[in-house]
Amino acid sequence: MSPTSPVSLTRYLIEEQREGRIGPNLRLLIEVVARACKSISIQVGKGALGGVLGDAGTGGEASINVQGEAQKKLDVLSNEILLEANAWGGHLAALASEEMDHCVAIPDEYPRGKYLLLFDPLDGSSNIDVNISVGTIFSVLRCPDDVETVGDEHFLQPGTAQVAAGYCTYGPSTMLVLTIGNGTHAFTLDREIGSFVMTTRGMRIPEETKEFAVNMSNQRFWEPPMQAYVGDLLKGREGPRGKDFNMRWVASMVADVHRILTRGGIFSYPLDAKCAAKGGKLRLMYEANPMAFLVEQAGGAASTGRQRMLEVQPTGLHQRVPVFLGSKAEVEAAVRYHASHDAGG
C-alpha cells in the first residue's frame, strides 16, 4: 500500500491502538459514535425534504428539554440515533445527553463496558431551519472502578479526565474532528465510500489572532472586564491592542470553534446578567469540556475567564460555565482583563 494513500478513521484508530494510546474498546466506541454521526448527517442533509425541520412536540406546542429550550425535531431524532447506536456495543456503562434530565445506564440485556459517553446530539439546532451548519459534540470518560449502578455523580469528572472528545460538523461537507489526547485531527466524510478520511493531521491554532467571535447583542449585560476587553478590541490599531480585529459569529458553537481550529481566533460566551444565576450559557460537560480538550490539543487554550476550563470540578450534569477558547495568546489576554478587574485594577 502506498504510504500516501488516504488514512481512514478506522486505520487511524487501529494505528493508535498499536501504539498503545487507546484500547480496543475505546477504538470501537469512537467508531460507533462516528457511524451514528453519519446517520445524523443524512437526516440533516435531507432538510425540508425529510420532514425533520421545525419544533418537536404535539398539538402545536413545542417540546421543552431539560435546559428549558424548545426542542427541534432533529434534536430529538439525533438524540435517539446516538442512544440506539451506543446501547448494545458493550463499550459503555452509561450515557448522558444534553437533551435528557439524567444519565441512562446501558440496559441489562446488553454487556456493559468501562466508559461513559456524554453528548450534545445537535449543537446549534436553532440554525437548522435556516440551513446553517450544526453539529454533534461528544466526550468520553472512564467509568470509576467497582461501580455497579451508574448515576449522574459518576460523570462529574473534570475535563482533564477525558480520554477522547470530538465533534461532527454538518455543513457543505461532513467533518469529524477528534482527539484521543494525541493531537487534534480532522476527518472528512467521503460520501461515495461512506468513510471518514483524514484530511488534516495535527491541527494547530495560531497563537496570535485578529479575529474574535462573540454575541454582541449581549454586550450591555456583560461584566465590566468583558466590556473592557471587547471595547479594546474594537478600538483597533489606535487602541491598546495595537491591531484591527474582525468579528465573526455563527451562533452555532461547532461552526464557530471549527473556524477557530482551522484558522485561529477566540470564541467567547462570557458570564452576563441574563445567565449569571445559572453560572453561564454553555454546558460544561457537553460543550465546554470537549471543545476545550480539542482546542488545547491543537495548541490553543480554554478558560472560564478565571480558571482553566479542563480543571473545573463539575457540580452537576448540566452545569453551565462562561467560555473563552481559541488562540492561546488571545485567551490569555481575556483572562488578564478578568484578573485585573478582580484585583481591583
Side-chain angles (χ1 to χ4, degrees):
M1 180 180 291
S2 168
T4 60
S5 61
V7 176
S8 68
L9 175 65
T10 298
R11 175 178 167 181
Y12 165 75
L13 292 172
I14 288 174
E15 290 173 350
E16 292 298 292
Q17 182 181 337
R18 287 172 179 162
E19 292 296 324
R21 285 188 276 264
I22 59 172
N25 286 326
L26 181 56
R27 172 175 67 82
L28 291 171
L29 169 57
I30 292 170
E31 291 199 76
V32 169
V33 172
R35 189 159 59 245
C37 288
K38 293 179 198 176
S39 297
I40 296 171
S41 176
I42 290 169
Q43 297 301 322
V44 171
K46 290 178 181 178
L49 298 175
V52 293
L53 301 186
D55 292 336
T58 58
E61 293 191 6
S63 174
I64 304 298
N65 67 9
V66 64
Q67 313 293 342
E69 301 164 341
Q71 288 181 304
K72 298 292 185 179
K73 292 177 183 177
L74 271 172
D75 279 322
V76 176
L77 180 60
S78 300
N79 195 65
E80 291 173 350
I81 288 172
L82 281 158
L83 287 174
E84 192 281 330
N86 286 282
W88 49 267
H91 319 305
L92 290 175
L95 310 91
S97 166
E98 183 184 313
E99 300 295 327
M100 303 186 302
D101 290 340
H102 299 287
C103 70
V104 174
I106 297 302
D108 290 338
E109 60 264 34
Y110 300 124
R112 292 187 182 178
K114 298 183 179 296
Y115 292 102
L116 305 173
L117 176 67
L118 302 104
F119 54 84
D120 179 351
L122 206 63
D123 176 77
S125 58
S126 60
N127 283 324
I128 291 169
D129 294 349
V130 292
N131 202 24
I132 289 176
S133 293
V134 293
T136 297
I137 310 173
F138 63 93
S139 170
V140 183
L141 299 166
R142 287 188 178 88
C143 184
D145 293 336
D146 303 323
V147 171
E148 293 186 5
T149 303
V150 181
D152 292 356
E153 67 275 14
H154 299 117
F155 284 82
L156 303 184
Q157 304 175 39
T160 50
Q162 293 175 103
V163 295
Y167 65 79
C168 202
T169 178
Y170 312 115
S173 63
T174 293
M175 293 188 71
L176 173 68
V177 178
L178 174 70
T179 183
I180 56 170
N182 184 37
T184 296
H185 314 290
F187 301 81
T188 300
L189 180 61
D190 185 331
R191 292 187 173 98
E192 293 181 0
I193 62 174
S195 296
F196 281 105
V197 176
M198 182 179 283
T199 44
T200 306
R201 183 185 288 272
M203 302 178 83
R204 300 302 294 176
I205 301 174
E207 186 168 323
E208 302 279 350
T209 186
K210 295 182 179 180
E211 197 163 275
F212 69 101
V214 71
N215 185 349
M216 287 295 294
S217 69
N218 289 329
Q219 184 174 14
R220 66 191 185 279
F221 301 110
W222 292 340
E223 292 182 298
M226 185 64 184
Q227 297 272 8
Y229 169 62
V230 173
D232 284 350
L233 296 183
L234 296 175
K235 290 174 184 175
R237 190 175 303 169
E238 293 75 26
R241 300 304 306 281
K243 55 184 177 181
D244 294 327
F245 283 81
N246 291 325
M247 194 192 86
R248 299 287 185 269
W249 182 248
V250 182
S252 170
M253 188 186 189
V254 165
D256 278 310
V257 174
H258 186 69
R259 183 186 61 251
I260 286 166
L261 276 166
T262 303
R263 71 184 194 199
I266 181 171
F267 171 91
S268 306
Y269 215 117
L271 194 66
D272 63 42
K274 294 192 300 180
C275 64
K278 297 179 179 179
K281 172 69 173 176
L282 300 178
R283 291 80 177 175
L284 175 65
M285 306 299 289
Y286 308 105
E287 296 167 316
N289 269 347
M291 290 304 200
F293 192 17
L294 289 161
V295 164
E296 283 199 4
Q297 285 291 313
S303 173
T304 66
R306 294 178 169 91
Q307 182 182 8
R308 181 189 174 205
M309 187 65 69
L310 294 182
E311 294 178 350
V312 174
Q313 178 58 51
T315 57
L317 200 55
H318 298 285
Q319 179 180 348
R320 300 181 189 230
V321 289
V323 174
F324 296 83
L325 58 79
S327 295
K328 187 175 182 181
E330 199 55 44
V331 172
E332 291 172 348
V335 170
R336 284 196 299 272
Y337 277 79
H338 286 76
S340 176
H341 172 267
D342 294 350

